[in-house]
Amino acid sequence: MARRFTGSFTQQAAIPEQAIAAAIDVMRSGRLHRYNTSGDEVPQVSQLEAEYAAWQGSRYCLAVTSGGQAMQIALRAAGVGPGDHVLTNGFTLAPVPGAIAAVGGIPRLVEITPDLTLDLDDLEAKAPGAKALLLSNMRGHLCDMDALTAICDRLGLLLIEDCAHTMGASWNGTRSGNFGVAGCFSTQTYKHMNSGEGGFLTSDDPDLMARAIILSGSYMLYERHGAAPPAETFRDIRLDTPNMSARLDNLRAAVLRPQLEAIEGALTAWTERHDLISDGLRGTPGLRLPQRPTAETYVGSSLQFCLDGISRQDARKLLASAAARGVELKWFGADEPQGFTSAHGSWRYVPAQNLPCTDAVLAGLFDLRIPLSFSPADCRTIARILSEEVRALNQVSGPAISVPVS
């Protein structure tokens, strides 16, 4: 009988005991709101902001309710508004174009490469008339960030980074999130820190961060933030900027702070698990793994592989055969969105756009989540099952035929 995997792809690692104790202390105090303090108490959220800014290597940090809110606030704070064209990846998740739509911007989608990163030639072709690039480091893949920032500087494009999947990743030693005017991070359950929902916005720009803090709903309590610009920066901004109410609370901050203390070990553990699965898939006929440049230091909390040229029928067969053996795959080539997975054709709030290269890649793109609850032995089992199922599919249907994607 074929071996079956019995683990859960949605079971994250347990919240650390230190975080549970800190959360209980906050609940006992009743002071869940970030500005509800007593005396000279420094609230959990302010401490978290200071600690995350120090870890990230940014001057300023704002904690908010989600990564999506971080992107919306970053766009608004950078001056993006109704009618402005904003470039972003043709391959991303719905909150990215959703953030652009939320500020009244018009998403302009850029092709991706076969290695799942932004196509810089297509970016240059589509940049005229655009105000900003909301770069999605989708599924933890970084494009050539040196080349990208040179393009943005030359063309006058504001660069805002969506780092929901690249917390702790770097390019040539520079942390993801530190290349543009702002970096946006998520602490939703399936990200690198887990508070259920939550996020960070980081920046070195004092005016942008002052606007972001007022937008987040600070009222006139901006001086209580842990990693904020000087009070004088807010003098006019506090009166000119609307309140969008997206504050993180002390309960979630208490859950996050111990996770931040231990994050380096967690990032290493994720990448080790990713590489075990990747190594086990390498050499499987018809299966292609995206290439990682040597300049990239990645965090492997998910894994992607491509079966270029696979038919829709065979893609569905692979989903079903892997699921029958306990391995949950996502496929980006489906007609309809499934769960968290969608493609640009289903975003009806975005003007329809022709992306033949992206569509060719997504038609054969498969993805699986790698929670830290998996052991190394689990990862080897998953790789073995997937390799066997791809080989079996090729024996029945013949090997997938590669199609040009550029």
Side-chain angles (χ1 to χ4, degrees), residues 3-323:
R3 186 168 185 175
R4 190 177 190 280
F5 180 65
T6 58
S8 170
F9 284 80
T10 60
Q11 181 58 60
Q12 298 302 96
I15 298 298
E17 289 298 322
Q18 183 184 355
I20 294 170
I24 290 171
D25 286 344
V26 169
M27 287 188 285
R28 284 183 174 143
S29 76
R31 297 184 182 277
L32 274 66
H33 194 281
R34 70 166 296 161
Y35 302 123
N36 181 204
T37 57
S38 175
D40 59 358
E41 173 190 8
V42 179
Q44 289 278 347
V45 181
S46 294
Q47 294 182 69
L48 174 64
E49 288 169 337
E51 291 160 359
Y52 193 82
W55 179 78
Q56 174 66 21
S58 294
R59 291 177 68 187
Y60 311 118
C61 175
L62 171 67
V64 291
T65 51
S66 70
Q69 281 294 320
M71 287 187 284
Q72 291 185 39
I73 289 172
L75 288 165
R76 290 183 194 274
V80 176
D84 287 334
H85 285 247
V86 180
L87 299 154
T88 194
N89 310 46
F91 170 49
T92 186
L93 293 178
V96 177
I100 299 170
V103 303
I106 300 171
R108 189 181 295 177
L109 303 179
V110 179
E111 294 271 28
I112 63 164
T113 71
D115 294 320
L116 311 184
T117 61
L118 197 70
D119 184 321
L120 299 186
D121 291 335
D122 195 50
L123 173 70
E124 288 212 56
K126 292 176 176 174
K131 185 166 187 175
L133 166 64
L134 179 54
L135 172 69
S136 175
N137 297 321
M138 179 63 171
R139 287 300 195 255
H141 295 272
L142 292 174
C143 69
D144 184 331
M145 296 302 296
D146 296 326
L148 175 67
T149 51
I151 291 169
C152 290
D153 290 344
R154 176 161 46 82
L155 300 179
L157 275 176
L158 288 168
L159 172 60
I160 296 170
E161 296 176 72
D162 163 31
C163 306
H165 301 162
T166 52
M167 183 183 286
S170 64
W171 181 270
N172 277 331
T174 298
R175 277 248 163 100
S176 173
N178 291 348
F179 288 92
V181 296
C184 304
F185 302 84
S186 173
T187 61
Q188 185 249 30
T189 285
Y190 299 118
K191 304 303 189 294
H192 299 128
M193 293 198 292
N194 175 13
S195 59
E197 288 286 358
F200 299 108
L201 192 165
T202 60
S203 180
D204 290 339
D205 185 319
D207 291 332
L208 183 147
M209 186 55 73
R211 286 190 290 271
I213 288 171
I214 298 296
L215 282 163
S216 76
S218 69
Y219 300 94
M220 296 300 114
L221 303 175
Y222 45 82
E223 291 185 80
R224 298 191 190 179
H225 279 248
E232 58 266 22
T233 312
F234 292 84
R235 186 170 291 113
D236 292 323
I237 288 172
R238 67 196 174 99
L239 304 176
D240 297 333
T241 307
N243 179 329
M244 310 302 292
S245 291
R247 298 170 296 270
L248 194 74
D249 58 82
N250 285 324
L251 183 58
R252 283 183 282 184
V255 168
L256 287 170
R257 290 182 64 211
Q259 293 181 59
L260 181 58
E261 288 182 14
I263 192 169
E264 295 294 346
L267 299 179
T268 298
W270 255 306
T271 303
E272 288 173 349
R273 284 156 175 76
H274 170 279
D275 290 352
L276 282 171
I277 299 175
S278 178
D279 290 345
L281 293 177
R282 209 174 303 280
T284 302
L287 185 149
R288 179 174 62 82
L289 294 164
Q291 295 298 301
R292 298 274 193 180
T294 56
E296 178 189 23
T297 300
Y298 60 91
V299 178
S301 56
S302 67
L303 181 139
Q304 297 71 46
F305 64 87
C306 298
L307 301 177
D308 297 322
I310 191 171
S311 69
R312 288 173 178 256
Q313 180 181 11
D314 282 349
R316 294 188 185 97
K317 284 182 182 177
L318 179 61
L319 294 176
S321 66

Side-chain angles (χ1 to χ4, degrees), residues 354-373:
N354 185 34
L355 299 171
C357 298
T358 298
D359 291 342
V361 174
L362 299 188
L365 178 61
F366 296 85
D367 169 90
L368 75 157
R369 186 178 289 131
I370 309 174
L372 287 184
S373 55

